[in-house]
Amino acid sequence: MAGESKTHNNRHKHYGLPEEGDPELLYDYLSKNLRTSYLRLKNNYEESEHIKVLKHLLTYIQIYNRRRPGDVERIYLEDFHNLQTVTEVEQVEFSGLSENLKDLAKEYSTLKTRGKLNRDIKLLITIDTKIYLTFLVELRPRLNISPQNLYLFALPKTPLINIRYPSAYVLLYRYARLCGAKNPKTLRATTLRKDLATKCIKLNLDDNELKDLAGFMGHHVNVYVSHYRKQLTGRDIPLFVKFLTAATGKFENQSYSKNNDENQSFIEDSMNDFAEGAGGAEGAGADDQNPNDNENGDEIVAAKKRPWNAGPGITDPHNNDGRSKKRRWNDRSINLILQKFPAYMQKRSNKAPSGQQIKDLVNEYPEAFVGRTVVAIKTWMHCQRGKY
């Protein structure tokens, strides 16, 4: 019962993704304040400015990389010293890239650290971020940091606590309210990560790119698809309409077994007959006429669409309740088919009669096959083989 209630709640849960433009407002706010605090600290050192730069930079890296709070606040100092850049060897391996992409790659570094469940994750570090981090590391001895505190964003120790670092969750909550966002409640780590995953749907990523993105975000690709990437209704409706439209073909209600070569050949012959217009027997021989050569061509075409109107004595096969009413095969039609194609009907031969042979039979005895198409006759013959 509890599992059913949970599933029901998740199905009707409203996922409040960030408002359009709110992530950019937060990013610009952090970038501007980080730059201002950095210049003040560079001109005149103050511990308060030092801590302010440290906190702004922590949230800046978290927002830029769309990371969980714990992924950023517990980065080790050693991780920063092991920054990875594009080496000369890698440039040779990626020689197919354009010069602009090569220059762009040189402007970034990757910082590998420990993520959730001890997974290795990578953070993308820009040149400006690298400058800020290097500056903070140089000023680190000025803060009263415990030697046991090995974190990159370490705070001064207190009489009660030696190892301290800022809470990324609290900082993000605070800056979301100060940046002027329309809906600051949606500027949280999880919603920002879901926003990234949802917007990447528009990129139409292939399987390898999807796997790389999931790995970059620090979880398995199945978790990424089921929990983080939210479907867009504006994209789903046209896409599903496209799928269902493709499914509504002329043979959507016909199902044939493809277990052997005989059935496969039968299907192919039937489809070829349909493509050749072999359904001309629908109008009791009227198919031999060209609607363009007859002043009543429109009526002939309409009769093809309504085979039950093709001759006298044929009524609408639909009842009042809209259900289709089957027309039974009469003895004359069955006897004519058995006389014309005895070997095939008695399973002495696996070669099915061609559409033209069936059409000749219909034209010879039109009163016996009123309202019967070549495809319908061939289907009946295939199903009734060996029963007579």
Side-chain angles (χ1 to χ4, degrees):
M1 192 66 181
E4 183 179 353
S5 299
K6 181 179 179 181
T7 304
H8 178 272
N9 293 335
N10 289 336
R11 185 166 56 250
H12 296 282
K13 183 178 179 180
H14 174 69
Y15 296 95
L17 295 179
E19 296 284 346
E20 189 70 25
D22 278 359
E24 289 76 9
L25 285 175
L26 177 59
Y27 181 82
D28 293 340
Y29 171 84
L30 292 171
S31 178
K32 180 180 178 180
N33 284 273
L34 178 59
R35 180 66 177 174
T36 303
S37 300
Y38 167 74
L39 293 177
R40 290 177 182 174
L41 183 62
K42 191 174 182 179
N43 295 330
N44 183 23
Y45 178 82
E46 293 182 4
E47 183 175 322
S48 59
E49 289 294 335
H50 187 164
I51 296 177
K52 186 181 295 185
V53 172
L54 184 145
K55 292 181 178 181
H56 279 101
L57 185 56
L58 186 151
T59 309
Y60 179 85
I61 295 175
Q62 179 188 1
I63 295 303
Y64 185 78
N65 288 273
R66 303 297 175 97
R67 289 297 176 185
R68 303 182 184 93
D71 296 343
V72 182
E73 65 187 20
R74 287 189 287 269
I75 298 175
Y76 287 105
L77 182 61
E78 184 181 1
D79 296 336
F80 171 70
H81 291 314
N82 293 326
L83 278 178
Q84 297 178 355
T85 58
V86 179
T87 63
E88 293 297 329
V89 176
E90 289 173 336
Q91 288 188 24
V92 173
E93 293 177 354
F94 295 103
S95 58
L97 297 176
S98 63
E99 293 299 328
N100 292 334
L101 290 179
K102 291 180 180 179
D103 294 338
L104 182 64
K106 295 178 182 179
E107 297 180 0
Y108 292 88
S109 304
T110 55
L111 188 152
K112 184 181 292 186
T113 184
R114 178 179 63 87
K116 187 177 180 180
L117 301 178
N118 285 326
R119 294 193 184 101
D120 290 337
I121 60 172
K122 291 183 179 180
L123 303 176
L124 198 61
I125 305 299
T126 63
I127 290 182
D128 293 340
T129 305
K130 185 178 179 180
I131 293 175
Y132 297 146
L133 288 172
T134 304
F135 184 65
L136 289 178
V137 172
E138 292 175 354
L139 297 179
R140 184 183 178 95
R142 296 197 180 190
L143 292 178
N144 186 22
I145 297 177
S146 171
Q148 300 175 353
N149 195 338
L150 303 180
Y151 294 112
L152 177 61
F153 298 102
L155 291 177
K157 64 180 180 179
T158 65
L160 298 178
I161 304 176
N162 285 335
I163 300 177
R164 299 175 61 233
Y165 52 82
S167 172
Y169 174 82
V170 174
L171 293 177
L172 181 57
Y173 177 82
R174 179 190 304 168
Y175 296 142
R177 292 185 300 167
L178 297 176
C179 69
K182 301 176 185 176
N183 191 2
K185 293 182 180 180
T186 59
L187 294 178
R188 301 292 184 265
T190 301
T191 54
L192 288 172
R193 288 162 62 80
K194 290 180 179 179
D195 180 63
L196 170 64
T198 304
K199 288 182 177 178
C200 285
I201 295 178
K202 302 176 182 179
L203 301 180
N204 294 324
L205 304 179
D206 57 30
D207 292 341
N208 292 329
E209 292 173 333
L210 190 64
K211 185 177 180 179
D212 291 338
L213 177 59
F216 174 76
M217 296 182 69
H219 42 64
H220 193 272
V221 63
N222 293 339
V223 177
Y224 165 82
V225 173
S226 60
H227 293 280
Y228 281 85
R229 190 170 67 170
K230 303 305 173 187
Q231 297 298 326
L232 301 174
T233 304
R235 176 183 179 272
D236 286 349
I237 292 177
L239 190 63
F240 295 161
V241 169
K242 176 182 175 181
F243 293 157
L244 297 177
T245 302
T248 56
K250 292 182 179 299
F251 290 88
E252 61 176 351
N253 293 326
Q254 299 184 17
S255 59
Y256 302 113
S257 172
K258 296 187 179 181
N259 296 330
N260 52 55
D261 297 336
E262 177 187 348
N263 290 339
Q264 180 65 24
S265 175
F266 167 74
I267 295 170
E268 293 176 355
D269 291 344
S270 298
M271 295 187 68
N272 291 334
D273 295 340
F274 190 90
E276 294 172 1
E282 293 175 7
D287 288 351
D288 296 335
Q289 303 181 27
N290 187 352
N292 295 329
D293 298 333
N294 193 306
E295 61 181 357
N296 296 324
D298 293 340
E299 286 74 7
I300 295 177
V301 174
K304 290 182 181 180
K305 295 180 180 179
R306 301 186 302 274
W308 52 84
N309 293 336
I314 304 299
T315 60
D316 191 337
H318 294 283
N319 297 325
N320 294 332
D321 57 0
R323 292 180 298 178
S324 177
K325 183 174 64 177
K326 294 183 179 180
R327 289 176 282 111
R328 294 184 177 275
W329 285 75
N330 54 52
D331 294 338
R332 176 168 172 73
S333 302
I334 296 174
N335 292 333
L336 287 173
I337 293 176
L338 294 176
Q339 294 173 7
K340 185 70 174 178
F341 310 107
Y344 179 73
M345 294 303 297
Q346 297 175 9
K347 287 192 174 182
R348 298 199 306 267
S349 173
N350 290 329
K351 184 178 180 181
S354 65
Q356 186 60 44
Q357 291 176 319
I358 298 176
K359 184 177 181 180
D360 294 340
L361 176 64
V362 171
N363 291 337
E364 184 176 357
Y365 303 98
E367 73 285 351
F369 298 98
V370 174
R372 303 287 186 187
T373 65
V374 173
V375 175
I377 296 173
K378 200 168 188 178
T379 302
W380 181 88
M381 293 173 60
H382 178 75
C383 297
Q384 300 297 321
R385 291 185 64 197
K387 296 183 179 181
Y388 293 93

